Amino acid sequence: MFVGGEFYDDPAWEKDSPTLDTAGMTFLSGGKACLMVICDYLLDHGIQRILLPSYLCPTVLATLERQGIDWEMYPVREDFSIDLDDLARRAAGFRAVYFINYFGFQHSLETRRFFQSLRRKGVVVVEDNAQTGFAPQTTGDFVFNSLRKFAAHDGGYLIS
């Protein structure tokens, strides 16, 4: 089995027809661009703060701050699970909550149901599929990833 962290092209993944239904999807230049659009939506709806997981890419914080969104964090356990009782207490004062499906794994059904219950209460849920790609079942009002992480060539190569 090959395991690596570099971009490479493998013809085994080439298909004659689409394998992913892209209806209803919007493709932007990356995760940062997605966050900017989400921030615009939040601000347009009078939401100026978001609750974030404590383990995330610093680019998320910088982008939110640049767009004028304040944030606070909730803890993430060592196994990347979330203490839902703690999150429920913290989320009480927020109209937007962000979570990450780390390393290609979705959270437990219980956790996904918790985020669905937040949505039913009118909380905007942002789901970051950082390394998950296109999950078959999604939970958030906004679900995004950074598509470049799934391409055979990095962006610098394509630009050059």
Side-chain angles (χ1 to χ4, degrees):
M1 170 189 239
F2 174 78
V3 176
E6 299 297 322
F7 292 102
Y8 65 95
D9 188 24
D10 185 346
W13 295 102
E14 293 178 20
K15 304 294 178 196
D16 293 331
S17 60
T19 58
L20 175 68
D21 180 8
T22 59
M25 292 185 186
T26 301
F27 290 86
L28 303 173
S29 63
K32 185 175 175 180
C34 294
L35 277 175
M36 293 169 69
V37 169
I38 293 166
C39 287
D40 288 346
Y41 174 90
L42 295 175
L43 291 171
D44 285 348
H45 288 82
I47 301 172
Q48 298 172 326
R49 297 181 329 139
I50 190 167
L51 188 58
L52 304 172
S54 59
Y55 183 77
L56 49 66
C57 174
T59 301
V60 172
L61 302 177
T63 303
L64 294 173
E65 289 173 355
R66 193 174 312 109
Q67 297 301 114
I69 299 288
D70 294 325
W71 50 268
E72 289 183 31
M73 292 187 168
Y74 61 89
V76 175
R77 294 182 180 131
E78 203 170 285
D79 66 355
F80 300 108
S81 66
I82 300 167
D83 178 337
L84 297 180
D85 291 330
D86 180 68
L87 179 55
R89 281 191 301 280
R90 292 173 192 266
F94 285 83
R95 294 177 50 208
V97 176
Y98 185 112
F99 76 96
I100 300 172
N101 289 317
Y102 297 100
F103 307 110
F105 298 99
Q106 288 191 302
H107 284 277
S108 69
L109 180 59
E110 178 187 15
T111 299
R112 292 194 314 268
R113 285 183 176 156
F114 175 83
F115 285 113
Q116 290 168 344
S117 74
L118 288 179
R119 287 183 67 193
R120 285 190 297 275
K121 295 175 187 173
V123 174
V124 175
V125 174
V126 177
E127 180 175 355
D128 183 341
N129 280 338
Q131 296 91 9
T132 306
F134 300 97
Q137 298 175 14
T138 59
T139 304
D141 294 287
F142 291 96
V143 181
F144 75 100
N145 65 41
S146 189
L147 188 58
R148 69 177 174 78
K149 295 175 184 172
F150 305 99
H153 309 286
D154 73 9
Y157 172 81
L158 294 176
I159 288 172
S160 64

